[in-house]
Amino acid sequence: MAGHTSDEWINQVRTAVDIIDVVGEYVQLKKSGRAYLGLCPFHSEKSPSFNVNAERQFYHCFGCGAGGDVFSFLMNIEQLTFPEALHKLAERAGIEVPRLQSHEAEDSPDKRLKQVMLEAHQFAANLYQYVLKETPYGAEALKYLTRRGMSAETLTEFQIGFAPDSWDFLTQFLAKRDFSLDVMVEAGLLAKSDSGKIFDRFRGRVMFPIQDSQGNVIGFGGRLLETTQAKSQPKYLNSPESPLFNKSATLFNLHRARPNIRKKKQALLFEGYVDVVSTWQAGFPLGIATLGTALTEQQARIIRRNVDSIVLCYDGDAAGQEATSKAIHILQQADLKVRVAPLPQGTDPDDYIRQHGAEAFSQQVLLQAMPITAFRLKHLRSQYVINDEMDKAGLIAKALEIINELDSPVERDMYQRQLAEEYSLSLNDLKWESKRVYRQQKSERQRDKVASAWNNSINNGKATLAKTLQPAYITAERMLLYYMMRNEEIATRVQQECNAHFQVDEHDALAAYLYAYYAEGNPEDPGKFIHYVQDDSLKQLASGLAMMECKEDVSDQEIGDYIKQVNNYPKRAELERLREEQRSLHLQATAADSEDARKQLEIQAAVTGMKILALENALKEG
């Protein structure tokens, strides 16, 4: 444990922050009784199993077992060391960091490396914005952005800047400020040629800073000016993967949009950062975007932790529609309600707003967002060229496959009627064809059926029906630990009366922590005890035990019964071993080659029987 002064400061920070507020920035929490529930940020799930206890200030996931206090949550979610998490929470609470603690935090090489990279990224963002707004180098880019309708306020809000068309503009500035150029290459701000020459990664581009969930600049998206686009260079260029930046787990503008999407319980998902900036300026502050890659499962899970529903607003061209189809599947897998906003062919959201205005975007695009089935049918039609009746029949069969996937009979009937009207068909004939297609689908599913994947003991959101009952001694150990965390007298009694160690090693280790915790004069508080535990796996165990639904008042008799279960387990285990030994001796005697061997084995069995009787009597008396 840390020293006395350090402990006082840690407790001051822990008392000053509310775990509900901290976790709530990453997980959409809903109150349920005394706890708050949400989707676990540490594993994929469809039904909430992540619990946060506001009274005790700890969390536990019953799906993956993750658990701990506010410090361990921040350490796991942001991949921070304890000193880093401590400093972050102290700054959040407005508590001054003692000099001693500052030195301790600087001892971590990984922390220092990330801090240097963050400082360099923020410096680069400030420099690029200064170039755009205050120097002749950025004049053309500023005119370009102004022509595209971006206001000065928007440029400031998103820290948009410009990287001059120079090989060493940023390189020189970073070198003058004593940043290691090799570290800057690792951070993704600079690049290195095969010959070892270091140069600016971004040149002649409008720069869009990419921030993490807390608003720290961790990368950039650079867009070539339309007047200077080179065929050999991509129109958009993002920072490469680095210790700070993971494209698959980052969403552009999430930190800025999060309060709004939480309030509205809905987000707008775009393909690029320009669309987000444009719609934000137009009065739609719910926009987030992927970063030049297809939507990932990680990104979908991040979205689901914040909202229940999402509107997809990808480009109106063929590539955008194809990307929409792929994104729908991933978002549905994350259990999000999805609608698709229609855009004219060859138009992106930024183009649409500049051409038609914010009101039209609201009325004709966002308010016209269609359900997934309607989009899939529309997308299906665009893929078919109908030359004859056979082509029409093929399209209708595919359309019915999509409609048959709907759970609601009302929705199925609605789409069947639309399809019948569109192709001048009898509704009865269409329904007959729908049944035929359904039977074919069912037959194919049965033929190709494979065992469904399990997800942390959750199968399609339903817990398995058959659960193995735990042995009585394990239940007894868990119950004792539950009450020991809440009552020092019970912990003392267990320490004095338990003749045997807890049989589960983790339980025994946690009990040892409890004895030490109370010996140091700490209070009866599960939340503080969880923070006291240093081992991560034991911290998770403690949080899970503390979350158990048990009655608050327990009698001395009940505690005595639990202690008896623990004390008797070694005897019961020995009894089972002796019974098995006796069975084995009887079998050997039956198969013995000689009478003498048989008698000898029977004598051994009888001796074992006496031991069994003595143990049985001891258990009855105990």
mmCIF file of all heavy atoms in Angstrom, residues 448-477:
data_model
loop_
_atom_site.group_PDB
_atom_site.id
_atom_site.type_symbol
_atom_site.label_atom_id
_atom_site.label_comp_id
_atom_site.label_asym_id
_atom_site.label_seq_id
_atom_site.Cartn_x
_atom_site.Cartn_y
_atom_site.Cartn_z
ATOM 1 N N ASP A 448 -27.939 -25.963 -43.213
ATOM 2 C CA ASP A 448 -26.667 -25.294 -42.937
ATOM 3 C C ASP A 448 -26.497 -24.959 -41.469
ATOM 4 O O ASP A 448 -25.557 -24.253 -41.099
ATOM 5 C CB ASP A 448 -26.578 -23.980 -43.742
ATOM 6 C CG ASP A 448 -26.645 -24.244 -45.231
ATOM 7 O OD1 ASP A 448 -26.249 -25.352 -45.643
ATOM 8 O OD2 ASP A 448 -27.107 -23.352 -45.973
ATOM 9 N N LYS A 449 -27.415 -25.453 -40.626
ATOM 10 C CA LYS A 449 -27.411 -25.032 -39.221
ATOM 11 C C LYS A 449 -26.130 -25.436 -38.518
ATOM 12 O O LYS A 449 -25.653 -26.545 -38.648
ATOM 13 C CB LYS A 449 -28.602 -25.662 -38.500
ATOM 14 C CG LYS A 449 -28.849 -25.074 -37.105
ATOM 15 C CD LYS A 449 -30.122 -25.641 -36.528
ATOM 16 C CE LYS A 449 -30.411 -25.028 -35.166
ATOM 17 N NZ LYS A 449 -31.628 -25.566 -34.573
ATOM 18 N N VAL A 450 -25.569 -24.484 -37.798
ATOM 19 C CA VAL A 450 -24.390 -24.748 -36.979
ATOM 20 C C VAL A 450 -24.685 -24.251 -35.576
ATOM 21 O O VAL A 450 -25.594 -23.456 -35.363
ATOM 22 C CB VAL A 450 -23.128 -24.024 -37.520
ATOM 23 C CG1 VAL A 450 -22.740 -24.584 -38.849
ATOM 24 C CG2 VAL A 450 -23.356 -22.518 -37.587
ATOM 25 N N ALA A 451 -23.924 -24.738 -34.623
ATOM 26 C CA ALA A 451 -24.112 -24.307 -33.233
ATOM 27 C C ALA A 451 -23.847 -22.826 -33.121
ATOM 28 O O ALA A 451 -22.850 -22.319 -33.632
ATOM 29 C CB ALA A 451 -23.177 -25.084 -32.322
ATOM 30 N N SER A 452 -24.733 -22.108 -32.466
ATOM 31 C CA SER A 452 -24.557 -20.663 -32.308
ATOM 32 C C SER A 452 -23.449 -20.374 -31.318
ATOM 33 O O SER A 452 -23.221 -21.124 -30.388
ATOM 34 C CB SER A 452 -25.857 -20.012 -31.841
ATOM 35 O OG SER A 452 -26.274 -20.599 -30.643
ATOM 36 N N ALA A 453 -22.763 -19.244 -31.555
ATOM 37 C CA ALA A 453 -21.630 -18.876 -30.698
ATOM 38 C C ALA A 453 -22.132 -18.384 -29.355
ATOM 39 O O ALA A 453 -23.161 -17.730 -29.257
ATOM 40 C CB ALA A 453 -20.799 -17.796 -31.377
ATOM 41 N N TRP A 454 -21.376 -18.687 -28.337
ATOM 42 C CA TRP A 454 -21.701 -18.214 -26.991
ATOM 43 C C TRP A 454 -20.910 -16.966 -26.701
ATOM 44 O O TRP A 454 -19.778 -16.843 -27.109
ATOM 45 C CB TRP A 454 -21.384 -19.299 -25.965
ATOM 46 C CG TRP A 454 -22.303 -20.461 -26.089
ATOM 47 C CD1 TRP A 454 -22.121 -21.578 -26.845
ATOM 48 C CD2 TRP A 454 -23.585 -20.609 -25.487
ATOM 49 N NE1 TRP A 454 -23.193 -22.410 -26.743
ATOM 50 C CE2 TRP A 454 -24.109 -21.854 -25.907
ATOM 51 C CE3 TRP A 454 -24.338 -19.821 -24.613
ATOM 52 C CZ2 TRP A 454 -25.346 -22.318 -25.499
ATOM 53 C CZ3 TRP A 454 -25.575 -20.291 -24.207
ATOM 54 C CH2 TRP A 454 -26.070 -21.526 -24.641
ATOM 55 N N ASN A 455 -21.530 -16.079 -25.964
ATOM 56 C CA ASN A 455 -20.884 -14.810 -25.642
ATOM 57 C C ASN A 455 -20.930 -14.587 -24.141
ATOM 58 O O ASN A 455 -21.921 -14.098 -23.604
ATOM 59 C CB ASN A 455 -21.607 -13.668 -26.375
ATOM 60 C CG ASN A 455 -21.002 -12.334 -26.045
ATOM 61 O OD1 ASN A 455 -19.882 -12.258 -25.564
ATOM 62 N ND2 ASN A 455 -21.755 -11.265 -26.305
ATOM 63 N N ASN A 456 -19.839 -15.000 -23.477
ATOM 64 C CA ASN A 456 -19.757 -14.780 -22.034
ATOM 65 C C ASN A 456 -20.989 -15.306 -21.293
ATOM 66 O O ASN A 456 -21.638 -14.603 -20.528
ATOM 67 C CB ASN A 456 -19.579 -13.289 -21.731
ATOM 68 C CG ASN A 456 -18.279 -12.761 -22.255
ATOM 69 O OD1 ASN A 456 -17.206 -13.206 -21.871
ATOM 70 N ND2 ASN A 456 -18.362 -11.808 -23.163
ATOM 71 N N SER A 457 -21.336 -16.586 -21.576
ATOM 72 C CA SER A 457 -22.462 -17.260 -20.932
ATOM 73 C C SER A 457 -23.799 -16.649 -21.308
ATOM 74 O O SER A 457 -24.802 -16.886 -20.656
ATOM 75 C CB SER A 457 -22.312 -17.234 -19.394
ATOM 76 O OG SER A 457 -21.123 -17.872 -19.020
ATOM 77 N N ILE A 458 -23.807 -15.852 -22.362
ATOM 78 C CA ILE A 458 -25.064 -15.259 -22.813
ATOM 79 C C ILE A 458 -25.287 -15.699 -24.253
ATOM 80 O O ILE A 458 -24.448 -15.492 -25.113
ATOM 81 C CB ILE A 458 -25.053 -13.729 -22.733
ATOM 82 C CG1 ILE A 458 -24.886 -13.298 -21.281
ATOM 83 C CG2 ILE A 458 -26.304 -13.136 -23.323
ATOM 84 C CD1 ILE A 458 -24.726 -11.819 -21.107
ATOM 85 N N ASN A 459 -26.432 -16.348 -24.509
ATOM 86 C CA ASN A 459 -26.732 -16.833 -25.845
ATOM 87 C C ASN A 459 -27.906 -16.050 -26.384
ATOM 88 O O ASN A 459 -29.039 -16.250 -25.952
ATOM 89 C CB ASN A 459 -27.066 -18.334 -25.784
ATOM 90 C CG ASN A 459 -27.314 -18.908 -27.165
ATOM 91 O OD1 ASN A 459 -26.902 -18.328 -28.153
ATOM 92 N ND2 ASN A 459 -27.980 -20.049 -27.215
ATOM 93 N N ASN A 460 -27.598 -15.136 -27.345
ATOM 94 C CA ASN A 460 -28.625 -14.274 -27.904
ATOM 95 C C ASN A 460 -29.383 -13.522 -26.810
ATOM 96 O O ASN A 460 -30.594 -13.341 -26.861
ATOM 97 C CB ASN A 460 -29.620 -15.092 -28.739
ATOM 98 C CG ASN A 460 -28.957 -15.720 -29.937
ATOM 99 O OD1 ASN A 460 -28.043 -15.138 -30.511
ATOM 100 N ND2 ASN A 460 -29.382 -16.913 -30.303
ATOM 101 N N GLY A 461 -28.635 -13.123 -25.796
ATOM 102 C CA GLY A 461 -29.230 -12.328 -24.740
ATOM 103 C C GLY A 461 -29.936 -13.139 -23.667
ATOM 104 O O GLY A 461 -30.506 -12.594 -22.740
ATOM 105 N N LYS A 462 -29.925 -14.491 -23.797
ATOM 106 C CA LYS A 462 -30.614 -15.312 -22.799
ATOM 107 C C LYS A 462 -29.605 -16.172 -22.063
ATOM 108 O O LYS A 462 -28.772 -16.826 -22.674
ATOM 109 C CB LYS A 462 -31.656 -16.199 -23.483
ATOM 110 C CG LYS A 462 -32.748 -15.394 -24.190
ATOM 111 C CD LYS A 462 -33.732 -16.301 -24.878
ATOM 112 C CE LYS A 462 -34.808 -15.503 -25.619
ATOM 113 N NZ LYS A 462 -35.748 -16.373 -26.341
ATOM 114 N N ALA A 463 -29.732 -16.199 -20.749
ATOM 115 C CA ALA A 463 -28.817 -17.022 -19.962
ATOM 116 C C ALA A 463 -29.150 -18.488 -20.185
ATOM 117 O O ALA A 463 -30.283 -18.852 -20.494
ATOM 118 C CB ALA A 463 -28.947 -16.676 -18.477
ATOM 119 N N THR A 464 -28.164 -19.357 -20.070
ATOM 120 C CA THR A 464 -28.393 -20.778 -20.233
ATOM 121 C C THR A 464 -29.343 -21.255 -19.149
ATOM 122 O O THR A 464 -29.298 -20.818 -18.005
ATOM 123 C CB THR A 464 -27.062 -21.548 -20.136
ATOM 124 O OG1 THR A 464 -26.428 -21.198 -18.920
ATOM 125 C CG2 THR A 464 -26.153 -21.204 -21.294
ATOM 126 N N LEU A 465 -30.219 -22.210 -19.519
ATOM 127 C CA LEU A 465 -31.229 -22.683 -18.583
ATOM 128 C C LEU A 465 -30.626 -23.597 -17.519
ATOM 129 O O LEU A 465 -31.010 -23.561 -16.368
ATOM 130 C CB LEU A 465 -32.327 -23.429 -19.355
ATOM 131 C CG LEU A 465 -33.151 -22.555 -20.310
ATOM 132 C CD1 LEU A 465 -34.144 -23.419 -21.051
ATOM 133 C CD2 LEU A 465 -33.868 -21.455 -19.550
ATOM 134 N N ALA A 466 -29.693 -24.444 -17.969
ATOM 135 C CA ALA A 466 -29.105 -25.397 -17.035
ATOM 136 C C ALA A 466 -27.856 -24.801 -16.407
ATOM 137 O O ALA A 466 -26.895 -24.517 -17.091
ATOM 138 C CB ALA A 466 -28.763 -26.689 -17.755
ATOM 139 N N LYS A 467 -27.888 -24.603 -15.112
ATOM 140 C CA LYS A 467 -26.733 -24.064 -14.399
ATOM 141 C C LYS A 467 -26.266 -25.089 -13.364
ATOM 142 O O LYS A 467 -27.075 -25.645 -12.624
ATOM 143 C CB LYS A 467 -27.091 -22.748 -13.694
ATOM 144 C CG LYS A 467 -27.320 -21.601 -14.664
ATOM 145 C CD LYS A 467 -27.496 -20.302 -13.905
ATOM 146 C CE LYS A 467 -27.650 -19.136 -14.847
ATOM 147 N NZ LYS A 467 -27.822 -17.858 -14.131
ATOM 148 N N THR A 468 -24.993 -25.316 -13.336
ATOM 149 C CA THR A 468 -24.446 -26.266 -12.394
ATOM 150 C C THR A 468 -24.449 -25.649 -10.991
ATOM 151 O O THR A 468 -23.929 -24.566 -10.789
ATOM 152 C CB THR A 468 -23.004 -26.641 -12.781
ATOM 153 O OG1 THR A 468 -23.007 -27.135 -14.109
ATOM 154 C CG2 THR A 468 -22.462 -27.707 -11.846
ATOM 155 N N LEU A 469 -25.064 -26.362 -10.050
ATOM 156 C CA LEU A 469 -25.082 -25.866 -8.674
ATOM 157 C C LEU A 469 -23.695 -25.976 -8.078
ATOM 158 O O LEU A 469 -23.005 -26.987 -8.246
ATOM 159 C CB LEU A 469 -26.074 -26.688 -7.845
ATOM 160 C CG LEU A 469 -27.561 -26.467 -8.140
ATOM 161 C CD1 LEU A 469 -28.394 -27.425 -7.305
ATOM 162 C CD2 LEU A 469 -27.959 -25.025 -7.841
ATOM 163 N N GLN A 470 -23.290 -24.934 -7.361
ATOM 164 C CA GLN A 470 -21.977 -24.960 -6.734
ATOM 165 C C GLN A 470 -22.007 -25.835 -5.488
ATOM 166 O O GLN A 470 -23.032 -25.919 -4.805
ATOM 167 C CB GLN A 470 -21.551 -23.543 -6.348
ATOM 168 C CG GLN A 470 -21.251 -22.639 -7.522
ATOM 169 C CD GLN A 470 -20.848 -21.247 -7.067
ATOM 170 O OE1 GLN A 470 -21.306 -20.772 -6.047
ATOM 171 N NE2 GLN A 470 -19.988 -20.613 -7.823
ATOM 172 N N PRO A 471 -20.897 -26.488 -5.157
ATOM 173 C CA PRO A 471 -20.827 -27.235 -3.899
ATOM 174 C C PRO A 471 -21.122 -26.323 -2.719
ATOM 175 O O PRO A 471 -20.860 -25.117 -2.763
ATOM 176 C CB PRO A 471 -19.372 -27.724 -3.877
ATOM 177 C CG PRO A 471 -18.941 -27.725 -5.302
ATOM 178 C CD PRO A 471 -19.668 -26.587 -5.943
ATOM 179 N N ALA A 472 -21.646 -26.914 -1.647
ATOM 180 C CA ALA A 472 -22.085 -26.125 -0.487
ATOM 181 C C ALA A 472 -20.946 -25.315 0.125
ATOM 182 O O ALA A 472 -21.154 -24.179 0.561
ATOM 183 C CB ALA A 472 -22.694 -27.058 0.566
ATOM 184 N N TYR A 473 -19.741 -25.877 0.145
ATOM 185 C CA TYR A 473 -18.639 -25.163 0.792
ATOM 186 C C TYR A 473 -18.248 -23.909 0.012
ATOM 187 O O TYR A 473 -17.845 -22.904 0.601
ATOM 188 C CB TYR A 473 -17.431 -26.097 0.970
ATOM 189 C CG TYR A 473 -16.633 -26.371 -0.289
ATOM 190 C CD1 TYR A 473 -15.534 -25.589 -0.632
ATOM 191 C CD2 TYR A 473 -16.988 -27.415 -1.133
ATOM 192 C CE1 TYR A 473 -14.801 -25.839 -1.781
ATOM 193 C CE2 TYR A 473 -16.265 -27.673 -2.286
ATOM 194 C CZ TYR A 473 -15.177 -26.885 -2.605
ATOM 195 O OH TYR A 473 -14.464 -27.129 -3.751
ATOM 196 N N ILE A 474 -18.384 -23.946 -1.335
ATOM 197 C CA ILE A 474 -18.068 -22.756 -2.136
ATOM 198 C C ILE A 474 -19.088 -21.659 -1.852
ATOM 199 O O ILE A 474 -18.742 -20.486 -1.664
ATOM 200 C CB ILE A 474 -18.032 -23.106 -3.635
ATOM 201 C CG1 ILE A 474 -16.843 -24.020 -3.928
ATOM 202 C CG2 ILE A 474 -17.941 -21.828 -4.477
ATOM 203 C CD1 ILE A 474 -16.700 -24.394 -5.396
ATOM 204 N N THR A 475 -20.372 -22.047 -1.828
ATOM 205 C CA THR A 475 -21.419 -21.073 -1.495
ATOM 206 C C THR A 475 -21.186 -20.489 -0.111
ATOM 207 O O THR A 475 -21.335 -19.279 0.102
ATOM 208 C CB THR A 475 -22.802 -21.747 -1.551
ATOM 209 O OG1 THR A 475 -23.021 -22.259 -2.870
ATOM 210 C CG2 THR A 475 -23.908 -20.761 -1.197
ATOM 211 N N ALA A 476 -20.816 -21.346 0.841
ATOM 212 C CA ALA A 476 -20.564 -20.876 2.204
ATOM 213 C C ALA A 476 -19.412 -19.885 2.241
ATOM 214 O O ALA A 476 -19.487 -18.850 2.932
ATOM 215 C CB ALA A 476 -20.258 -22.077 3.116
ATOM 216 N N GLU A 477 -18.330 -20.168 1.514
ATOM 217 C CA GLU A 477 -17.184 -19.253 1.476
ATOM 218 C C GLU A 477 -17.584 -17.905 0.888
ATOM 219 O O GLU A 477 -17.194 -16.845 1.392
ATOM 220 C CB GLU A 477 -16.051 -19.880 0.665
ATOM 221 C CG GLU A 477 -15.385 -21.057 1.347
ATOM 222 C CD GLU A 477 -14.265 -21.686 0.533
ATOM 223 O OE1 GLU A 477 -14.009 -21.202 -0.603
ATOM 224 O OE2 GLU A 477 -13.653 -22.647 1.003
#
